[in-house]
Amino acid sequence: MLLELAGNRRVLFIGGKGGGGKTTVSAATALAQAQAGRRVLLVSTDPAHNLGHLWGRPVGPRPVSLAEGLDGLELDPQTAVEQHLSEVGAALRKLMPAHLAGEVDKHMSLSRDAPGMHEAALLERIAETVDNGLHDYDLLVFDTAPSGHTARLMALPEMMAAWTEGLMRRRERSAGFGAVLRNLGGDDRGFGESLLGREPGDSPEDRDSQVRRLLDRRRHRFTQLREVLGDANRCAFIIVLAAERLPVLESIELHAQLQRSGVDVAALVVNKRSPADAGAFLAERRVQEQSYLDELRLVLGHLPIQQLPLLASDVQGPPALQAFAELLAARS
């Protein structure tokens, strides 16, 4: 089921409660799709990155080869924040007079730990990855952070696109006002420059062009990400969970939050399912798990559910991932 769904999409987001096996399912799905002949990029957005541990090799912010046809990268939130603040700070300095550069730097420093900054910065990197990745890869698989963080992240594209549109409109009004002031100044550019907060010698046209390019790029990326997330033919969100009370309740809430954000939840993957024929203890455990799955089906019974067994050992390294990918195919 999961591999068939992945084969018909360009972008997969795989999320759920921490500890449910999101990274393993993401990596095995990406590997299986690469072995089916697709060019795949596996992306971790979880601050507690596990791709490197899983594959037994360093994985960082730039794509590295994990297997034939499969690249991987980890989006580091702190690095994303620094890059985001650098770009925003550069844009603000172009909008402000040179003598206020220190105030811009102070504002950027205070913003580093502001609520929502990490999510906004990470969203920019996700939007950038989708924008570039859809040109270079057949499938993008995102291994996301635990449920609450991911739900907030998925709600941001609409808000960020609207915010950037607002900046564009304000920027256009400001440009029109600036043109009036420059005309009022006639040949004496000092008058207009002093009112607009420019330093003599700056080119207003160059400065406006640079800011407009930055905002245009952001608007394009957020708009495209919003369109991709809302297109069930291109994008799907998979919830991975264990058959336990809290993961089931959290998955139901995550589904509701994603639906409100216009994100299509295509399937559920129940991981680490206890066997029924391995002694009384695990058999009893399986009965309890079944009661939680019955509760899950009452609310989300319209979604396909794929169940994966509890394994005797951890999944680590390419051979173990290969075996897990084969298990995904066998259980589809």
Side-chain angles (χ1 to χ4, degrees):
M1 176 271 292
L2 178 56
L3 296 186
E4 181 181 355
L5 189 151
N8 295 322
R9 299 299 196 282
R10 296 293 312 280
V11 181
L12 282 184
F13 286 90
I14 297 180
K17 186 174 174 62
K22 299 185 303 296
T23 302
T24 302
V25 171
S26 301
T29 300
L31 178 61
Q33 286 295 296
Q35 291 176 338
R38 303 182 80 190
R39 180 79 173 146
V40 183
L41 178 65
L42 174 61
V43 184
S44 171
T45 70
D46 191 339
H49 294 303
N50 290 313
L51 287 187
H53 300 300
L54 192 62
W55 287 92
R57 61 149 301 162
V59 179
R62 298 184 181 277
V64 298
S65 176
L66 300 175
E68 185 176 355
L70 173 60
D71 292 341
L73 65 86
E74 295 175 337
L75 297 180
D76 178 57
Q78 192 57 46
T79 301
V81 167
E82 296 301 328
Q83 185 175 346
H84 175 78
L85 290 176
S86 176
E87 291 180 356
V88 172
L92 284 178
R93 290 185 194 94
K94 294 180 186 302
L95 291 169
M96 303 291 286
H99 70 274
L100 291 180
E103 291 299 316
V104 172
D105 292 339
K106 180 180 178 181
H107 176 73
M108 290 295 98
S109 178
L110 292 173
S111 298
R112 184 168 279 101
D113 297 315
M117 176 57 71
H118 280 220
E119 286 90 345
L122 188 57
L123 184 71
E124 280 220 53
R125 300 287 79 81
I126 291 174
E128 180 182 8
T129 302
V130 170
D131 188 23
N132 297 330
L134 287 176
H135 297 290
D136 301 329
Y137 296 92
D138 301 312
L139 175 66
L140 309 177
V141 179
F142 286 88
D143 169 33
T144 70
S147 303
H149 182 276
T150 298
R152 292 193 299 273
L153 199 63
M154 293 296 103
L156 275 176
E158 185 78 24
M159 181 182 70
M160 293 292 284
W163 181 71
T164 304
E165 287 284 352
L167 279 180
M168 291 291 290
R169 288 194 295 270
R170 286 194 292 273
R171 185 68 197 143
E172 288 166 2
R173 288 198 296 269
S174 175
F177 179 61
V180 171
L181 288 177
R182 286 192 295 272
N183 290 335
L184 285 175
D187 293 332
D188 182 10
R189 297 179 60 85
F191 174 74
E193 286 169 352
S194 63
L195 286 179
L196 287 170
R198 293 195 182 95
E199 296 298 311
D202 285 351
S203 167
E205 292 77 14
D206 288 346
R207 191 183 71 166
D208 288 349
S209 176
Q210 290 171 356
V211 173
R212 190 173 293 109
R213 280 198 301 271
L214 173 65
L215 292 177
D216 271 332
R217 188 188 68 192
R218 287 168 56 89
R219 177 170 60 177
H220 167 76
R221 285 178 175 166
F222 289 134
T223 299
Q224 183 187 44
L225 181 60
R226 182 177 56 185
E227 290 173 354
V228 169
L229 288 173
D231 185 351
N233 294 317
R234 286 192 293 168
C235 178
F237 197 103
I238 311 299
I239 298 177
V240 178
L241 69 149
E244 299 172 359
R245 181 174 180 273
L246 290 181
V248 165
L249 294 177
E250 189 168 315
S251 297
I252 291 172
E253 176 59 26
L254 175 59
H255 175 269
Q257 291 174 320
L258 292 171
Q259 290 294 100
R260 289 195 293 269
S261 299
V263 178
D264 176 54
V265 178
L268 309 171
V269 173
V270 179
N271 195 24
K272 304 179 181 180
R273 190 79 158 90
S274 297
D277 55 356
F281 176 80
L282 287 178
E284 185 175 344
R285 178 79 185 177
R286 185 178 177 88
V287 170
Q288 178 179 268
E289 290 173 355
Q290 189 59 52
S291 69
Y292 295 137
L293 291 184
D294 291 342
E295 183 177 353
L296 183 69
R297 284 193 171 93
L298 281 176
V299 182
L300 302 180
H302 61 287
L303 296 176
I305 298 178
Q306 182 168 350
Q307 299 187 43
L308 300 172
L310 176 67
L311 301 179
S313 58
D314 292 338
V315 178
Q316 186 171 8
L321 281 168
Q322 176 65 49
F324 198 87
E326 292 170 2
L327 182 63
L328 279 179
R331 296 272 176 152
S332 292

